[in-house]
Amino acid sequence: MVSKLAVFCSKGEYGFNTKKYNRVYKESIENPGKYWGELAEKELFWFKKWDSVYEKKGFKCRWFEGGKTNITFNCLDRHLADGGDKIAYIWTNEQGEERKITYKELFEKVCKTSLLFKKLGVRKGDIVTVYMPQIIEQVISILACARIGAIHSVVYAGFSYQALSTRMTSADSRYLITADFTYRRGKKVDLLEVAREAAKESKTAVKKIVLVRESTTKLQENEISLEKETSSLNGFIDAQVMDAEDPLFILYTSGTTGKPKGIVHTVGGYSLYAHITTKYTFDVRKDDVYWCTADNGWITGHSYIIYGPLSNHMTSILYEGAPDYPTPETWWKIIEKYGATIFYTSPTAIRMLMSYGDKYPKGHNLTTLRLIGSVGEPLNSSAWLWYHKIIGQGKCSIVDTWWQTETGGHMITTLPGLDQKPGYAGLPYFGIVAKVVDRNGKEKKNGEKGNLIINGSWPSVLRDCWHDKKCFEGYYQKIKDCYFTGDIAVKDNDGYIRILGRSDDVIQVAGHGISSAEIESVVTSHKSVVEAAAIGVPDAIKGYKIIVYAVLVKSVQSSEDLEKEIIGYVGKVYGKHGRPERVEFVDKLPKTRSGKIMRRVLKAEEEKKNPGDISTLEN
Ligand code: PRX
């Protein structure tokens, strides 16, 4: 039985309906070795087959042990014989500029860049930081790392130089690839300056900054131009033969402490999971024009702009710019111009575009769309319904995909062809055992809220946190040997899961996880602040916004100017996406007797709700 809210959508290419989903799901859970082994064999190229599909010791696991592959072989080489002329990316930006690149051209450029990296001395296992805007060269740089076995660490280009240098130091990264600028809402933003500052600040001796994008910039001593250096390099370079469990990349994400966590993903399992979830969730077809609006600085870009789509030989739109700049119809124009068939974006973008009214999307031909998706935060029912009716014209399946940087790929979603429910991410993906439990790991009854955990392993589960064993183990300590997601969820009688938000101190602002502790440490580094608490409160568009409570040094008076200064300071030190909406100046922060800030008391105050148990409150 499906709920009354179910909306019936078009059947997917792979013919998943509830009956088939249930059958395949059951098989995948009962015999994961067979399920994943058969898929890995059928869907990917391996230089050498694995000895065992997976091995699990406690919470630690290894996938496709003994297998040898390279993700770029699966993303590029194997498509060349009869698909080299297919467009891999159509790049466009807010200036309306456009570039297209075929699989063959992309392959050639990746080879050249790989050769350059080798010439610079980059070796297998070295960490290369990529701090770049959403341009084709960013994808090329990332793939070039993977081709030669270097580990890429992509840092979102909105981060400040301090955030960039912290991540470079933590990863011990000695190479940095950047561009001289990006555009943000019509303004040229200088990225090279940030990169130079970060390199200076980094505790690791940075060997080379490689610069891309056409540039009149004068290069400094340890900098080279990608364009110039690769122009004389010719030829092919074999993809490095990688062990399935070799690291492919690290990606920093916010934790509950102020320290960002370097999530490690490995070659074999990640290749398979990114490939197969792209294929099934987006119901990939030969002539699709696919557009994921995420930034490659985050995991969504890694899995669903770069690796998944390329592995599936898809044509993707790559866009550098904001959703509503220069006008609120910019995105609808792009869908119409390129005839996009799949569109994958965030609830924040959906709500923002919804707030401009229906006339903008209605003024464009969106009939090419077949499937629309959402990721990053809960897609509330009203936004779901608008998205379905206005953008999906009542005919498109909606895939609301729940997952995390740590999971590497989609974990819960409603596959196209299955009944969909507004506000629900849906059903667990094949091989995924998702449970809603209490603090002791006991399963909650349907309809009751609880912690979302994942039992068992899957190919693209994080393998480690870079140089931080304790952080990695932390995922499995709350409920013994189960992966603790940190999200609160509820399951209904059909097994559909609704995600309600975070249970910890990570604030999802416009889908970006931002740690309260990290913002607090930035705010308290301001000369006028002694102590601070950062909380997330609901926002109609962004899901959550950050409010900071700050205690000032005795000699300083609070003022509106000081509030503005602190907000600007966070933008400068952390990155604009972490700026608080407001700073409240207070004499004291609510604390427990052991001195821990009780953020929930502040949250309750902001939301005019009951703060719950405050027996441990000191003041
Ligand atoms: O709280 C969940 C939310 O985003 C968190 C993961 O953030 P991050 O690692 O940055 O990855 C974002 C892109 C996958 C989750 O713990 N989240 C992600 N997708 C959804 C979601 N919340 C509700 N519904 C979703 N579809």
Side-chain angles (χ1 to χ4, degrees):
M1 274 292 286
V2 292
S3 115
K4 275 195 217 126
L5 282 175
V7 174
F8 295 85
C9 289
S10 56
K11 215 168 177 215
E13 176 90 332
Y14 303 103
F16 288 115
N17 51 29
T18 308
K19 199 168 151 208
K20 183 166 173 191
Y21 164 84
N22 285 339
R23 178 176 56 74
V24 178
Y25 181 74
K26 190 164 175 272
E27 285 165 9
S28 70
I29 301 299
E30 285 175 356
N31 197 344
K34 180 167 177 280
Y35 178 75
W36 292 113
E38 282 175 6
L39 269 185
E41 194 144 17
K42 187 170 140 232
E43 299 286 338
L44 295 186
F45 172 85
W46 297 81
F47 297 119
K48 177 185 168 287
K49 198 180 157 178
W50 52 92
D51 303 318
S52 69
V53 176
Y54 78 102
E55 277 165 30
K56 198 166 174 308
K57 277 197 201 108
F59 58 83
K60 290 198 181 148
C61 64
R62 297 178 72 79
W63 283 84
F64 306 111
E65 190 81 79
K68 296 198 187 288
T69 188
N70 184 301
I71 199 164
T72 69
F73 197 98
N74 281 300
C75 287
L76 300 170
D77 306 48
R78 68 166 166 166
H79 304 313
L80 297 183
D82 49 14
D85 293 331
K86 185 168 180 175
I87 303 285
Y89 291 104
I90 305 165
W91 172 85
T92 184
N93 67 359
E94 55 181 46
Q95 320 286 315
E97 293 172 300
E98 180 192 279
R99 263 174 82 192
K100 291 183 181 170
I101 188 162
T102 65
Y103 272 83
K104 183 162 172 282
E105 289 161 345
L106 184 63
F107 170 77
E108 287 166 359
K109 286 195 184 275
V110 169
C111 280
K112 278 185 176 212
T113 306
S114 304
L115 285 167
L116 173 64
F117 288 176
K118 283 220 146 185
K119 200 172 136 196
L120 293 178
V122 181
R123 286 161 314 180
K124 181 172 180 249
D126 282 349
I127 294 183
V128 176
T129 303
V130 179
Y131 181 74
M132 287 173 77
Q134 191 90 337
I135 54 178
I136 290 174
E137 284 73 13
Q138 179 200 36
V139 178
I140 292 169
S141 306
I142 291 170
L143 292 170
C145 291
R147 190 154 187 93
I148 62 171
I151 302 166
H152 55 76
S153 168
V154 181
V155 178
Y156 171 59
F159 272 118
S160 69
Y161 78 87
Q162 280 105 326
L164 175 59
S165 80
T166 307
R167 285 156 179 75
M168 289 183 68
T169 304
S170 151
D172 196 16
S173 170
R174 289 176 304 149
Y175 300 91
L176 175 60
I177 309 168
T178 190
D180 31 8
F181 64 86
T182 183
Y183 289 107
R184 255 177 237 143
R185 307 187 83 80
K187 276 199 212 126
K188 247 182 169 181
V189 179
D190 192 339
L191 293 180
L192 179 59
E193 192 51 39
V194 180
R196 282 177 176 161
E197 281 300 312
K200 239 192 274 162
E201 188 108 328
S202 167
K203 299 212 168 45
T204 319
V206 177
K207 271 197 176 164
K208 274 281 185 264
I209 297 179
V210 181
L211 192 69
V212 300
R213 212 157 200 171
E214 99 290 349
S215 168
T216 47
T217 321
K218 254 187 117 187
L219 299 185
Q220 295 180 352
E221 202 189 326
N222 69 337
E223 298 170 355
I224 59 161
S225 146
L226 181 89
E227 169 92 44
K228 218 167 116 206
E229 297 287 330
T230 50
S231 63
S232 58
L233 292 174
N234 258 321
F236 166 79
I237 172 167
D238 270 321
Q240 171 81 40
V241 176
M242 303 289 284
D243 286 334
E245 280 294 332
D246 278 336
L248 171 64
F249 65 83
I250 57 180
L251 186 57
Y252 282 92
T253 183
S254 300
T256 45
T257 67
K259 206 171 140 207
K261 308 185 275 193
I263 303 300
V264 179
H265 283 291
T266 54
V267 176
Y270 177 85
S271 292
L272 178 61
Y273 205 79
H275 173 88
I276 201 66
T277 47
T278 303
K279 183 166 172 167
Y280 288 166
T281 305
F282 299 116
D283 187 28
V284 173
R285 300 174 194 187
K286 212 168 113 244
D287 297 322
D288 272 327
V289 176
Y290 163 83
W291 184 17
C292 167
T293 67
D295 191 288
N296 286 331
W298 310 113
I299 190 69
T300 307
H302 283 55
S303 302
Y304 300 112
I305 295 180
I306 303 180
Y307 291 120
L310 289 177
S311 183
N312 280 283
H313 198 209
M314 294 172 84
T315 295
S316 298
I317 296 169
L318 186 69
Y319 177 67
E320 181 190 10
D324 58 345
Y325 187 86
T327 73
E329 60 188 336
T330 304
W331 279 13
W332 315 131
K333 264 191 189 161
I334 293 175
I335 292 179
E336 179 172 20
K337 181 169 178 192
Y338 298 112
T341 55
I342 306 170
F343 179 62
Y344 186 37
T345 192
S346 68
T348 290
I350 295 167
R351 288 187 292 256
M352 181 209 277
L353 293 167
M354 181 172 131
S355 73
Y356 289 117
D358 299 352
K359 74 171 184 205
Y360 295 112
K362 281 195 169 158
H364 293 277
N365 179 2
L366 307 180
T367 54
T368 50
L369 288 174
R370 189 186 79 242
L371 196 149
I372 53 181
S374 168
V375 58
E377 23 165 354
L379 179 62
N380 49 304
S381 303
S382 55
W384 195 103
L385 291 166
W386 181 82
Y387 197 34
H388 185 251
K389 185 170 161 214
I390 304 298
I391 308 307
Q393 309 134 79
K395 66 166 182 147
C396 295
S397 296
I398 293 190
V399 286
D400 176 359
T401 58
W402 176 87
W403 58 296
Q404 304 176 305
T405 305
E406 293 87 338
T407 71
H410 301 154
M411 300 292 281
I412 298 174
T413 188
T414 310
L415 291 174
L418 268 70
D419 299 319
Q420 322 231 310
K421 298 187 190 190
Y424 284 76
L427 296 164
Y429 199 79
F430 302 119
I432 305 301
V433 182
K435 290 184 178 170
V436 178
V437 300
D438 67 13
R439 256 187 261 163
N440 304 314
K442 186 165 169 272
E443 243 180 307
K444 290 273 192 178
K445 288 200 193 104
N446 290 344
E448 283 179 5
K449 278 198 261 179
N451 299 294
L452 180 66
I453 60 158
I454 313 290
N455 206 347
S457 184
W458 63 100
S460 63
V461 61
L462 81 159
R463 299 298 199 276
D464 206 352
C465 294
W466 198 253
H467 292 333
D468 197 345
K469 200 166 144 233
K470 248 177 90 185
C471 153
F472 175 61
E473 289 172 358
Y475 286 97
Y476 297 91
Q477 278 164 349
K478 296 223 166 67
I479 311 286
K480 193 173 174 339
D481 286 355
C482 289
Y483 173 79
F484 193 82
T485 68
D487 277 4
I488 300 289
V490 64
K491 213 183 242 191
D492 74 3
N493 288 336
D494 302 315
Y496 278 52
I497 296 170
R498 177 181 205 128
I499 310 292
L500 300 168
R502 300 286 308 171
S503 64
D504 57 16
D505 289 321
V506 176
I507 312 170
Q508 285 305 115
V509 182
H512 306 316
I514 296 175
S515 133
S516 295
E518 208 175 353
I519 297 301
E520 287 160 8
S521 96
V522 172
V523 174
T524 48
S525 73
H526 186 280
K527 60 181 186 313
S528 303
V529 181
V530 235
E531 210 175 18
I535 56 164
V537 299
D539 178 84
I541 304 282
K542 292 191 286 186
Y544 280 89
K545 58 189 172 196
I546 301 173
I547 309 288
V548 164
Y549 283 74
V551 180
L552 293 175
V553 295
K554 285 254 160 17
S555 55
V556 174
Q557 283 290 316
S558 61
S559 68
E560 258 178 50
D561 282 349
L562 182 58
E563 181 185 7
K564 273 194 208 131
E565 188 184 311
I566 294 172
I567 294 172
Y569 178 75
V570 178
K572 224 171 97 198
V573 177
Y574 179 85
K576 285 198 172 137
H577 57 296
R579 276 185 308 195
E581 186 89 1
R582 224 170 62 226
V583 180
E584 294 282 342
F585 298 110
V586 290
D587 293 335
K588 261 187 186 169
L589 293 172
K591 286 192 188 160
T592 61
R593 284 170 227 284
S594 57
K596 263 183 117 190
I597 298 173
M598 288 184 86
R599 298 188 184 95
R600 98 182 130 82
V601 173
L602 297 169
K603 243 172 113 60
E605 173 75 19
E606 280 289 339
E607 294 174 30
K608 311 254 175 300
K609 282 188 184 156
N610 184 329
D613 179 9
I614 49 168
S615 56
T616 56
L617 187 67
E618 181 204 45
N619 44 348

